[in-house]
């Protein structure tokens, strides 16, 4: 569950989430470093889509205060996720994240809405079908009709891996790890998901040299390809 730790009740929420075995994550937050440190100590161990919807360094009167982004870099062991579509974060920013955080502390996330996989030019609603915001798929990302802002990701998991490999210069095995084992470990389900070994669920994706999916197996049975 994502929460903004600077809001009233956020620390008590962390206690309840921890008691229930639910991962507490900082997201959509305007927190400063002090908030993040307190949150970390109370059990917020993860950051939801780094750089997207969160605070960065700013001045309050004469003094500079770190935001969630810089705090996540400073706290050893705090894990982060990144929307690796090559649009929300440019390749050079992806390279910076990989330089600042260990590979094992980074996972990839599509953060996609219902337009995932649609072609450019398609119109789709963000949010509820009854009252959602109209947006357009343009240049591989959902944008508002006036192109003034992103309206959501339309990325797929293979695209995340492809972006990190081709654009961010990450080794292929590390890009795959960030999409598979790392998220499983962060969620505490690495004993059955995220790697290929005896006793695992047998969920397998086979892709070609360009990281285009050729076959998919779920629990050892082919469902695609």
């Amino acid at each position: 569950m994502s929460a903004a730790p600077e809001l009233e009740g956020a620390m008590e929420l962390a206690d309840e989430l921890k008691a229930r075995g639910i991962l507490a994550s900082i997201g959509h937050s305007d927190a400063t470093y002090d908030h993040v440190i307190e949150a970390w100590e109370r059990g917020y161990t993860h950051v939801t889509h780094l750089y997207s919807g969160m605070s960065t360094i700013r001045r309050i009167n004469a003094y500079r205060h770190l935001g969630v982004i810089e705090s996540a870099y400073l706290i050893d062991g705090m894990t982060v996720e990144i929307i690796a579509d090559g649009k929300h974060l440019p390749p050079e920013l992806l390279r910076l994240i990989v330089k600042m955080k260990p590979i094992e502390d980074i996972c990839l996330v599509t953060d996609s809405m219902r337009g995932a996989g649609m072609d450019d030019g398609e119109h789709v609603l963000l949010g509820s079908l009854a009252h959602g915001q109209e947006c357009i798929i343009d240049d591989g990302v959902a944008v508002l009709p006036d192109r003034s802002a992103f309206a959501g990701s339309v990325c797929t998991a293979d695209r995340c891996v492809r972006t990190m490999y081709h654009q961010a210069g990450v080794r292929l095995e590390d890009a795959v790890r960030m999409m598979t084992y790392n998220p499983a470990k962060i969620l505490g389900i690495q004993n059955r998901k995220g790697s290929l070994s005896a006793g695992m669920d047998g969920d397998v994706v086979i892709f070609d040299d360009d990281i285009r999916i050729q076959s998919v197996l779920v629990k050892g049975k082919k469902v695609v390809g």
Side-chain angles (χ1 to χ4, degrees), residues 97-168:
I97 296 168
V98 171
K99 188 172 184 177
M100 296 293 288
K101 295 292 288 187
I103 289 294
E104 58 267 24
D105 287 344
I106 303 171
C107 66
L108 309 182
V109 63
T110 67
D111 200 50
S112 287
M113 37 82 92
R114 64 170 55 90
M118 287 188 177
D119 295 329
D120 283 358
E122 296 281 353
H123 290 245
V124 65
L125 288 177
L126 173 66
S128 76
L129 290 173
H131 306 288
Q133 167 71 55
E134 182 182 359
C135 57
I136 301 168
I137 312 303
D138 184 46
D139 194 27
V141 68
V143 295
L144 297 179
D146 64 0
R147 270 71 171 182
S148 62
F150 290 153
S153 168
V154 295
C155 190
T156 52
D158 58 319
R159 179 175 163 189
C160 286
V161 174
R162 198 159 49 247
T163 298
M164 295 304 294
Y165 180 54
H166 288 308
Q167 298 185 34

Side-chain angles (χ1 to χ4, degrees), residues 30-32 35 55-60 63-68:
D30 197 36
T32 62
H35 293 132
S55 56
T56 186
I57 192 168
R58 63 190 184 274
R59 288 183 65 158
I60 301 176
Y63 298 95
R64 289 176 175 83
H65 293 260
L66 304 187
V68 175

Side-chain angles (χ1 to χ4, degrees), residues 2 6 12 34 59 61 65 90 111 151 168 174 180 188 208 218:
S2 299
E6 73 276 16
E12 292 77 11
D34 289 342
R59 288 183 65 158
N61 297 321
H65 293 260
D111 200 50
D174 287 337
T180 55
D208 62 17
V218 176

Side-chain angles (χ1 to χ4, degrees), residues 161-202:
V161 174
R162 198 159 49 247
T163 298
M164 295 304 294
Y165 180 54
H166 288 308
Q167 298 185 34
V170 173
R171 295 188 310 166
L172 181 57
E173 55 266 43
D174 287 337
V176 170
R177 177 190 171 112
M178 288 190 283
M179 192 78 251
T180 55
Y181 180 76
N182 289 358
K185 185 177 181 181
I186 289 167
L187 291 170
I189 57 173
Q190 71 273 21
N191 63 328
R192 60 187 181 88
K193 299 286 187 183
S195 59
L196 295 176
S197 57
M200 306 296 276
D201 282 352

Side-chain angles (χ1 to χ4, degrees), residues 85-98 163-164 166-170:
D85 61 355
K87 304 297 179 181
H88 282 76
L89 307 180
E92 57 271 22
L93 195 50
L94 296 174
R95 292 196 293 269
L96 175 64
I97 296 168
V98 171
T163 298
M164 295 304 294
H166 288 308
Q167 298 185 34
V170 173

